[in-house]
Amino acid sequence: PHFTLEELTSKRDPVEPGTEELANLTRLAVGLLEPLRMHAQRILIITSGYRSPAYNKSVGGKPGGEHPKGTAADFRDGDGLTDEEQIAMAAWASQEAICGGIGLYPGRSFLHVDIRARKPRNRLTWWQQVDGRYQPLSEVQRRALKRAGAVGL
């Protein structure tokens, strides 16, 4: 894969991922991020991948979230993602069997994907972050995602 461990970890986090987290990062990169990069045909810049629990807390990450497990990444492209590009990439990622969660950041130029286990009936965990709070998707977002081919809503 084209993603490196350096891309998937933060220089500001002094804690290196352990064996389990490294295995998860490999599954994330090979199974979801690399296919997404190939589909998008553009450079994807990881803005946040693995975070140790302490670092996750210091940056306001969700306690018990996916980043400390090595199962999540936030990314953008070189110019940042428009809300429409977030929807298109999220819809495509949702079709990958390994994808278990997707978070939209309206107006913030990046997207969250993770490889947590899917919910019953093959549903993904979908959310958005607005004003620093995690919230369910809006009806407008759900309709846009469905039009773009998203599954697991």
Side-chain angles (χ1 to χ4, degrees):
H2 294 108
F3 289 97
T4 66
L5 183 59
E6 186 176 67
E7 286 179 278
L8 296 168
T9 56
S10 173
K11 292 176 182 72
R12 287 177 246 133
D13 188 346
V15 180
E16 295 290 324
T19 304
E20 186 175 340
E21 293 84 9
L22 286 171
N24 288 338
L25 286 169
T26 299
R27 287 185 332 120
L28 174 66
V30 173
L32 186 56
L33 296 174
E34 189 61 31
L36 186 56
R37 182 184 266 177
M38 298 300 288
H39 170 76
Q41 295 185 338
R42 60 172 96 175
I43 294 171
L44 300 182
I45 300 164
I46 306 300
T47 58
S48 185
Y50 169 77
R51 302 179 196 147
S52 67
Y55 185 69
N56 190 56
K57 183 177 181 179
S58 77
V59 297
K62 183 178 177 187
E66 300 301 310
H67 287 279
K69 299 172 190 171
T71 56
D74 302 338
F75 67 89
R76 63 179 177 80
D77 71 359
D79 299 320
L81 299 172
T82 66
D83 289 355
E84 293 78 17
E85 289 170 326
Q86 285 186 50
I87 293 288
M89 287 191 163
W92 190 89
S94 75
Q95 297 172 30
E96 294 295 294
I98 195 171
C99 186
I102 299 176
L104 304 177
Y105 287 82
R108 298 214 19 231
S109 305
F110 66 96
L111 181 67
H112 167 101
V113 294
D114 65 59
I115 57 171
R116 74 181 81 191
R118 287 192 178 203
K119 297 178 184 179
R121 295 190 317 265
N122 208 30
R123 294 177 59 108
L124 281 77
T125 299
W126 290 90
W127 49 269
Q128 64 171 323
Q129 189 187 63
V130 178
D131 297 327
R133 294 182 322 223
Y134 296 101
Q135 303 175 18
L137 297 178
S138 71
E139 203 47 48
V140 170
Q141 289 167 322
R142 294 178 78 74
R143 283 195 302 271
L145 284 160
K146 285 181 184 177
R147 279 194 307 274
V151 300
L153 288 162

